[in-house]
Amino acid sequence: MIDASHRPVLGASIWAKGTHEAATTNSEGFFRLSLPLGSYLLLVDYPGHLARETPVSPTDSTLTITVYSTQPRTKRR
């Protein structure tokens, strides 16, 4: 998982809707869920960022999720 600046996100919560499977991203933004074969909707939550719902299917071997801040960008001078 990455943020809008393409930096890894540490500590985001991910769970598969309709299951008890959940994970938390590590310092590199990686997570792993062990799910039976099928299609799922991943729910992603990270403080200060917009919550996301991301569909996944059995053909997805790698997935990149980007989270976006709820704070407005500040202009650089």
Side-chain angles (χ1 to χ4, degrees), residues 31-47:
F31 67 93
R32 181 177 298 236
L33 291 172
S34 296
L35 298 165
L37 192 60
S39 295
Y40 296 91
L41 185 62
L42 298 185
L43 305 172
V44 179
D45 188 37
Y46 186 63

Side-chain angles (χ1 to χ4, degrees), residues 2-37:
I2 58 175
D3 64 16
S5 298
H6 302 283
R7 293 181 303 231
V9 173
L10 167 66
S13 299
I14 301 98
W15 62 98
K17 190 172 185 176
T19 75
H20 295 286
E21 294 297 319
T24 302
T25 56
N26 67 15
S27 62
E28 295 176 341
F30 294 121
F31 67 93
R32 181 177 298 236
L33 291 172
S34 296
L35 298 165
L37 192 60

